[in-house]
Amino acid sequence: MPTDSPYKPSAFKRLLSLLFRAMVLFTLLFMFDKLLPDIKEQSKSFVVAKWQQINLLQQPLPAENSLLSPLLGQHLTDTWGAARSEGRQHEGIDIFADRGTPIQATTQGIVKKVGNNNLGGRVVVIVGPGGAGHYYAHLEDYADIEPNDWVNAGDTIGYVGDSGNAKGTPPHVHYGIYINGRAVNPYPLLQKPEG
């Protein structure tokens, strides 16, 4: 056997190697083809969400009588600042209605939270125009929404209940507004029912 002659694989081994490389290439192309629409859709969703956030921040904060009521047709009472347990003050208003009554978004915005906390129980937080946070608490259940969803004023976001520290009280929604991290009285900002 001459030492200057390089090893040459058989034609069968070369064909197997070529077929294996072709299969790997086709598998990668197939995966890329299947993933590309998802990647494209995720990128588009991300861009749209960022554009909506920027647009919301540039809009004016809520003004007097500018927001829909979370419970259309229900009587509104200004309970802002009322005494609460442990020396707290009420940072919102309570609107009473039958258990399971749909709660609507008071404004357009981006859903920031759908979840639980100790005081509010089941809560939804929406970031609206001017970056104001709209807080809905004591829900019985949530509507079909998730964080980062866009909602319009009037969209159903949940249902009246008594979760959290309201357990055993008459069903209601606690509605609060936070601007620059500070609670503000939502009562003057809400449209009042006629009559």
Side-chain angles (χ1 to χ4, degrees), residues 52-75:
Q52 289 170 330
Q53 286 176 339
I54 291 168
N55 189 24
L56 276 175
L57 292 175
Q58 294 175 351
Q59 293 177 20
L61 288 165
E64 191 170 323
N65 297 315
S66 66
L67 299 173
L68 292 177
S69 172
L71 298 175
L72 276 182
Q74 297 297 322
H75 177 74

Side-chain angles (χ1 to χ4, degrees), residues 20-98:
F20 177 75
R21 288 179 186 161
M23 283 179 21
V24 169
L25 180 62
F26 282 125
T27 301
L28 289 174
L29 287 173
F30 178 77
M31 287 174 35
F32 184 71
D33 184 55
K34 292 298 177 193
L35 291 177
L36 186 60
D38 289 343
I39 293 169
K40 185 177 175 183
E41 190 59 37
Q42 288 172 0
S43 297
K44 182 179 171 185
S45 295
F46 176 79
V47 169
V48 168
K50 289 302 170 195
W51 176 254
Q52 289 170 330
Q53 286 176 339
I54 291 168
N55 189 24
L56 276 175
L57 292 175
Q58 294 175 351
Q59 293 177 20
L61 288 165
E64 191 170 323
N65 297 315
S66 66
L67 299 173
L68 292 177
S69 172
L71 298 175
L72 276 182
Q74 297 297 322
H75 177 74
L76 300 180
T77 302
D78 190 354
T79 57
W80 170 262
R84 291 295 185 259
S85 63
E86 300 172 14
R88 295 177 300 115
Q89 289 190 320
H90 198 217
E91 292 186 347
I93 66 170
D94 292 334
I95 309 167
F96 295 85
D98 292 336

